[in-house]
mmCIF file of all heavy atoms in Angstrom:
data_model
loop_
_atom_site.group_PDB
_atom_site.id
_atom_site.type_symbol
_atom_site.label_atom_id
_atom_site.label_comp_id
_atom_site.label_asym_id
_atom_site.label_seq_id
_atom_site.Cartn_x
_atom_site.Cartn_y
_atom_site.Cartn_z
ATOM 1 N N THR K 50 195.517 108.315 87.961
ATOM 2 C CA THR K 50 196.960 108.071 87.811
ATOM 3 C C THR K 50 197.705 109.245 87.167
ATOM 4 O O THR K 50 198.802 109.066 86.631
ATOM 5 C CB THR K 50 197.257 106.766 87.039
ATOM 6 O OG1 THR K 50 196.483 106.737 85.860
ATOM 7 C CG2 THR K 50 196.945 105.542 87.879
ATOM 8 N N ASN K 51 197.116 110.434 87.244
ATOM 9 C CA ASN K 51 197.820 111.658 86.846
ATOM 10 C C ASN K 51 198.247 111.695 85.382
ATOM 11 O O ASN K 51 199.238 112.342 85.025
ATOM 12 C CB ASN K 51 199.043 111.902 87.752
ATOM 13 C CG ASN K 51 198.643 111.996 89.209
ATOM 14 O OD1 ASN K 51 197.484 112.246 89.510
ATOM 15 N ND2 ASN K 51 199.596 111.807 90.099
ATOM 16 N N ASN K 108 212.743 102.898 79.832
ATOM 17 C CA ASN K 108 211.308 102.607 79.680
ATOM 18 C C ASN K 108 210.524 103.164 80.869
ATOM 19 O O ASN K 108 210.182 102.448 81.797
ATOM 20 C CB ASN K 108 211.094 101.104 79.560
ATOM 21 C CG ASN K 108 211.744 100.544 78.316
ATOM 22 O OD1 ASN K 108 211.212 100.668 77.215
ATOM 23 N ND2 ASN K 108 212.909 99.956 78.474
ATOM 24 N N GLY K 109 210.247 104.444 80.828
ATOM 25 C CA GLY K 109 209.590 105.111 81.941
ATOM 26 C C GLY K 109 210.629 105.552 82.957
ATOM 27 O O GLY K 109 211.712 104.967 83.060
ATOM 28 N N SER K 110 210.292 106.601 83.717
ATOM 29 C CA SER K 110 211.271 107.050 84.707
ATOM 30 C C SER K 110 211.420 106.016 85.816
ATOM 31 O O SER K 110 212.430 106.004 86.516
ATOM 32 C CB SER K 110 210.933 108.440 85.254
ATOM 33 O OG SER K 110 209.657 108.458 85.799
ATOM 34 N N ASN K 111 210.425 105.133 85.962
ATOM 35 C CA ASN K 111 210.604 104.060 86.953
ATOM 36 C C ASN K 111 211.820 103.202 86.630
ATOM 37 O O ASN K 111 212.550 102.781 87.530
ATOM 38 C CB ASN K 111 209.351 103.181 87.026
ATOM 39 C CG ASN K 111 208.294 103.809 87.913
ATOM 40 O OD1 ASN K 111 208.567 104.159 89.039
ATOM 41 N ND2 ASN K 111 207.101 103.960 87.386
ATOM 42 N N GLU K 112 212.054 102.930 85.337
ATOM 43 C CA GLU K 112 213.247 102.152 84.992
ATOM 44 C C GLU K 112 214.513 102.977 85.226
ATOM 45 O O GLU K 112 215.532 102.444 85.683
ATOM 46 C CB GLU K 112 213.203 101.645 83.542
ATOM 47 C CG GLU K 112 214.364 100.682 83.268
ATOM 48 C CD GLU K 112 214.421 100.132 81.851
ATOM 49 O OE1 GLU K 112 213.927 100.793 80.918
ATOM 50 O OE2 GLU K 112 214.970 99.036 81.680
ATOM 51 N N LEU K 114 214.868 105.167 87.557
ATOM 52 C CA LEU K 114 215.100 105.142 89.011
ATOM 53 C C LEU K 114 215.664 103.787 89.444
ATOM 54 O O LEU K 114 216.535 103.716 90.312
ATOM 55 C CB LEU K 114 213.787 105.430 89.759
ATOM 56 C CG LEU K 114 213.139 106.793 89.478
ATOM 57 C CD1 LEU K 114 211.802 106.908 90.211
ATOM 58 C CD2 LEU K 114 214.049 107.941 89.874
ATOM 59 N N TYR K 135 206.098 109.472 96.488
ATOM 60 C CA TYR K 135 205.786 108.494 95.446
ATOM 61 C C TYR K 135 206.043 107.075 95.955
ATOM 62 O O TYR K 135 207.174 106.751 96.349
ATOM 63 C CB TYR K 135 206.662 108.809 94.242
ATOM 64 C CG TYR K 135 206.388 107.998 93.001
ATOM 65 C CD1 TYR K 135 205.089 107.742 92.572
ATOM 66 C CD2 TYR K 135 207.443 107.517 92.234
ATOM 67 C CE1 TYR K 135 204.855 107.022 91.410
ATOM 68 C CE2 TYR K 135 207.216 106.811 91.071
ATOM 69 C CZ TYR K 135 205.919 106.559 90.673
ATOM 70 O OH TYR K 135 205.695 105.857 89.529
ATOM 71 N N HIS K 138 209.193 104.759 94.997
ATOM 72 C CA HIS K 138 210.584 104.912 95.459
ATOM 73 C C HIS K 138 210.972 103.806 96.444
ATOM 74 O O HIS K 138 211.975 103.124 96.227
ATOM 75 C CB HIS K 138 210.817 106.304 96.056
ATOM 76 C CG HIS K 138 210.693 107.418 95.040
ATOM 77 N ND1 HIS K 138 210.394 108.718 95.384
ATOM 78 C CD2 HIS K 138 210.808 107.411 93.687
ATOM 79 C CE1 HIS K 138 210.351 109.465 94.296
ATOM 80 N NE2 HIS K 138 210.590 108.704 93.251
ATOM 81 N N THR K 181 211.169 114.644 95.681
ATOM 82 C CA THR K 181 210.185 114.658 94.606
ATOM 83 C C THR K 181 209.586 116.053 94.539
ATOM 84 O O THR K 181 209.020 116.522 95.523
ATOM 85 C CB THR K 181 209.090 113.611 94.871
ATOM 86 O OG1 THR K 181 209.714 112.386 95.240
ATOM 87 C CG2 THR K 181 208.233 113.399 93.645
ATOM 88 N N ASN K 185 204.485 113.949 94.634
ATOM 89 C CA ASN K 185 203.292 113.121 94.490
ATOM 90 C C ASN K 185 203.159 112.328 95.790
ATOM 91 O O ASN K 185 204.144 111.690 96.180
ATOM 92 C CB ASN K 185 203.502 112.177 93.293
ATOM 93 C CG ASN K 185 202.367 111.207 93.100
ATOM 94 O OD1 ASN K 185 201.326 111.314 93.739
ATOM 95 N ND2 ASN K 185 202.559 110.247 92.213
ATOM 96 N N ASP K 210 213.089 113.897 91.610
ATOM 97 C CA ASP K 210 212.101 113.321 90.702
ATOM 98 C C ASP K 210 211.151 114.432 90.274
ATOM 99 O O ASP K 210 210.307 114.880 91.051
ATOM 100 C CB ASP K 210 211.360 112.188 91.428
ATOM 101 C CG ASP K 210 210.381 111.445 90.521
ATOM 102 O OD1 ASP K 210 209.936 112.029 89.514
ATOM 103 O OD2 ASP K 210 210.052 110.280 90.839
ATOM 104 N N ALA K 212 208.811 114.441 87.816
ATOM 105 C CA ALA K 212 207.835 113.888 86.870
ATOM 106 C C ALA K 212 206.772 114.919 86.469
ATOM 107 O O ALA K 212 206.219 114.845 85.378
ATOM 108 C CB ALA K 212 207.157 112.658 87.481
ATOM 109 N N TYR K 213 206.512 115.878 87.368
ATOM 110 C CA TYR K 213 205.436 116.853 87.111
ATOM 111 C C TYR K 213 205.974 118.257 86.844
ATOM 112 O O TYR K 213 205.237 119.236 86.960
ATOM 113 C CB TYR K 213 204.476 116.876 88.310
ATOM 114 C CG TYR K 213 203.869 115.524 88.558
ATOM 115 C CD1 TYR K 213 204.400 114.652 89.505
ATOM 116 C CD2 TYR K 213 202.797 115.080 87.788
ATOM 117 C CE1 TYR K 213 203.872 113.385 89.698
ATOM 118 C CE2 TYR K 213 202.260 113.814 87.971
ATOM 119 C CZ TYR K 213 202.802 112.972 88.921
ATOM 120 O OH TYR K 213 202.285 111.723 89.104
ATOM 121 N N ARG K 238 212.942 112.900 84.848
ATOM 122 C CA ARG K 238 211.754 113.434 84.160
ATOM 123 C C ARG K 238 211.050 112.287 83.445
ATOM 124 O O ARG K 238 211.601 111.186 83.330
ATOM 125 C CB ARG K 238 212.169 114.489 83.122
ATOM 126 C CG ARG K 238 212.798 115.764 83.701
ATOM 127 C CD ARG K 238 211.698 116.697 84.176
ATOM 128 N NE ARG K 238 212.216 118.011 84.575
ATOM 129 C CZ ARG K 238 212.072 119.131 83.848
ATOM 130 N NH1 ARG K 238 211.476 119.092 82.666
ATOM 131 N NH2 ARG K 238 212.511 120.280 84.298
ATOM 132 N N THR K 239 209.858 112.560 82.918
ATOM 133 C CA THR K 239 209.125 111.512 82.215
ATOM 134 C C THR K 239 208.283 112.114 81.092
ATOM 135 O O THR K 239 207.923 113.291 81.150
ATOM 136 C CB THR K 239 208.198 110.747 83.186
ATOM 137 O OG1 THR K 239 207.515 109.725 82.461
ATOM 138 C CG2 THR K 239 207.166 111.665 83.824
ATOM 139 N N MET K 240 207.989 111.314 80.081
ATOM 140 C CA MET K 240 207.043 111.726 79.053
ATOM 141 C C MET K 240 205.639 111.231 79.391
ATOM 142 O O MET K 240 204.700 111.398 78.616
ATOM 143 C CB MET K 240 207.489 111.221 77.673
ATOM 144 C CG MET K 240 208.811 111.851 77.229
ATOM 145 S SD MET K 240 209.353 111.360 75.567
ATOM 146 C CE MET K 240 208.527 112.617 74.565
ATOM 147 N N SER K 241 205.462 110.634 80.580
ATOM 148 C CA SER K 241 204.170 110.028 80.932
ATOM 149 C C SER K 241 203.115 111.035 81.367
ATOM 150 O O SER K 241 201.935 110.738 81.323
ATOM 151 C CB SER K 241 204.340 109.028 82.075
ATOM 152 O OG SER K 241 205.132 107.942 81.686
ATOM 153 N N LYS K 242 203.505 112.207 81.821
ATOM 154 C CA LYS K 242 202.525 113.099 82.442
ATOM 155 C C LYS K 242 202.214 114.282 81.528
ATOM 156 O O LYS K 242 201.363 114.168 80.674
ATOM 157 C CB LYS K 242 203.029 113.528 83.822
ATOM 158 C CG LYS K 242 203.424 112.350 84.720
ATOM 159 C CD LYS K 242 202.233 111.573 85.235
ATOM 160 C CE LYS K 242 202.527 110.184 85.774
ATOM 161 N NZ LYS K 242 203.517 110.087 86.835
ATOM 162 N N ARG K 250 205.897 104.607 77.476
ATOM 163 C CA ARG K 250 206.919 104.261 78.454
ATOM 164 C C ARG K 250 208.283 104.886 78.121
ATOM 165 O O ARG K 250 209.209 104.206 77.670
ATOM 166 C CB ARG K 250 207.074 102.722 78.603
ATOM 167 C CG ARG K 250 205.796 101.953 78.815
ATOM 168 C CD ARG K 250 205.020 102.447 80.030
ATOM 169 N NE ARG K 250 205.789 102.356 81.256
ATOM 170 C CZ ARG K 250 205.959 103.403 82.102
ATOM 171 N NH1 ARG K 250 205.422 104.584 81.835
ATOM 172 N NH2 ARG K 250 206.635 103.244 83.205
ATOM 173 N N VAL K 251 208.391 106.163 78.349
ATOM 174 C CA VAL K 251 209.660 106.855 78.152
ATOM 175 C C VAL K 251 209.932 107.779 79.340
ATOM 176 O O VAL K 251 209.159 108.694 79.613
ATOM 177 C CB VAL K 251 209.666 107.707 76.856
ATOM 178 C CG1 VAL K 251 211.053 108.333 76.658
ATOM 179 C CG2 VAL K 251 209.283 106.868 75.650
ATOM 180 N N GLY K 252 211.012 107.510 80.040
ATOM 181 C CA GLY K 252 211.468 108.395 81.101
ATOM 182 C C GLY K 252 212.923 108.725 80.849
ATOM 183 O O GLY K 252 213.589 108.065 80.050
HETATM 184 C C1 LIG G 596 204.038 109.143 87.536
HETATM 185 C C2 LIG G 596 205.334 109.326 88.227
HETATM 186 C C3 LIG G 596 206.513 108.892 87.617
HETATM 187 C C4 LIG G 596 206.451 108.400 86.204
HETATM 188 O O1 LIG G 596 206.748 107.119 86.019
HETATM 189 P P1 LIG G 596 206.962 106.585 84.524
HETATM 190 O O2 LIG G 596 207.627 105.296 84.779
HETATM 191 O O3 LIG G 596 207.836 107.572 83.818
HETATM 192 O O4 LIG G 596 205.611 106.482 83.901
HETATM 193 C C5 LIG G 596 207.715 109.107 88.261
HETATM 194 N N1 LIG G 596 207.750 109.731 89.450
HETATM 195 C C6 LIG G 596 206.643 110.176 90.053
HETATM 196 C C7 LIG G 596 206.748 110.915 91.332
HETATM 197 C C8 LIG G 596 205.411 109.971 89.455
HETATM 198 O O5 LIG G 596 204.298 110.381 90.070
#
Side-chain angles (χ1 to χ4, degrees):
T50 49
N51 302 340
N108 296 281
S110 57
N111 278 307
E112 188 181 26
L114 299 176
Y135 186 43
H138 294 157
T181 313
N185 176 9
D210 185 337
Y213 301 97
R238 295 279 188 106
T239 181
M240 295 183 89
S241 295
K242 307 287 163 56
R250 310 304 301 128
V251 184

